[in-house]
Amino acid sequence: MSLLADKVAVVTGAGRGIGRAVALAYARMGADVACVSRTEENSAKVAAEVEALGRRAWPLAVDVSDTAAVDAAAKEILELAGRVDILVNNAGVTRDNLLMRMSEEEWDTVLNTNLKGAFNFTRALTRPFIKQRSGRIINIASVIGLIGNAGQSNYTAAKAGMVGFTKALAREVGSRNITVNAVAPGFIETDMTSALLKRCVTTCW
């Protein structure tokens, strides 16, 4: 039997990079996957890849910083899938700049997507997890949230916040058989980091 046979996972930021890899890995382990991405095109593409592996998939185009949109998406997933067993909060963006040049929009966009987005989806699914007395919440933080990085005060703050959010929530729901963990990857080559490298080549050196 597959490790995650018939489990249902929700993966945010599933349209590319780490999120896509997680969605496909879960499908290979037997899980059905709700593929959440900002764009319909990316969510549909990954959902099709999940289905090609023999699992059910639901593509959802959602701005994770939009609380009402996330609540509606969570309700739709629960209606379609019947339950959710795993939530992976992976959606993230960068808007790099030195702090003295950083705009309020650059700060808000990163905090709202990377940190508030995790809050929105976690809050929307915590009650169902508590009701079924089981759940797995995995937050994708970053090594940058632990050590900091020049030009990324917004991203660093969001990812450091993700670590604190994980610790607090684990204490809240651990007694209900719900685990909450954070993964802090180092540098991984994705579309997002390739754009970062291009900016550094032209502006950082």
Side-chain angles (χ1 to χ4, degrees):
M1 179 178 290
S2 299
L3 183 62
L4 298 179
D6 300 322
K7 299 294 186 182
V8 176
V10 176
V11 182
T12 72
R16 58 182 186 171
I18 292 173
R20 173 179 174 271
V22 170
L24 296 181
Y26 279 173
R28 292 187 186 99
M29 289 188 284
D32 301 325
V33 186
C35 303
V36 178
S37 178
R38 185 182 290 270
T39 69
E40 291 183 9
E41 179 183 4
N42 285 349
S43 56
K45 179 180 66 175
V46 176
E49 292 180 283
V50 169
E51 289 176 339
L53 293 169
R55 304 308 309 174
R56 294 185 299 167
W58 303 275
L60 294 101
V62 183
D63 177 355
V64 298
S65 70
D66 183 332
T67 303
V70 169
D71 288 344
K75 182 179 178 181
E76 181 179 358
I77 293 166
L78 289 165
E79 289 174 350
L80 292 171
R83 63 183 288 125
V84 172
D85 302 285
I86 304 164
L87 168 64
V88 180
N89 286 308
N90 168 72
V93 297
T94 57
R95 295 291 187 274
D96 297 344
N97 216 336
L98 295 175
L99 181 65
M100 62 183 177
R101 297 175 184 166
M102 185 174 290
S103 67
E104 185 177 357
E105 180 184 9
E106 288 170 332
W107 177 270
D108 287 347
T109 296
V110 172
L111 270 292
N112 285 341
T113 300
N114 298 21
L115 187 55
K116 184 183 176 185
F119 161 77
N120 282 339
F121 254 106
T122 303
R123 187 177 64 169
L125 291 174
T126 294
R127 193 178 299 276
F129 283 162
I130 289 174
K131 186 176 180 180
Q132 68 196 27
R133 297 194 68 82
S134 67
R136 302 291 179 261
I137 300 168
I138 301 155
N139 296 322
I140 306 301
S142 169
V143 68
I144 297 302
L146 305 178
I147 64 174
N149 195 34
Q152 289 192 304
S153 59
N154 49 4
Y155 185 79
T156 300
K159 293 303 186 178
M162 181 81 87
V163 172
F165 172 71
T166 300
K167 291 178 179 180
L169 186 62
R171 290 181 178 275
E172 288 186 23
V173 299
S175 63
R176 308 297 182 92
N177 194 35
I178 301 166
T179 61
V180 190
N181 290 280
V183 179
F187 188 88
I188 296 175
E189 290 189 20
T190 65
D191 292 346
M192 188 173 77
T193 57
S194 66
L196 171 63
L197 282 174
K198 288 177 182 176
R199 286 197 297 274
C200 282
V201 167
T202 58
T203 64
C204 296
W205 308 111

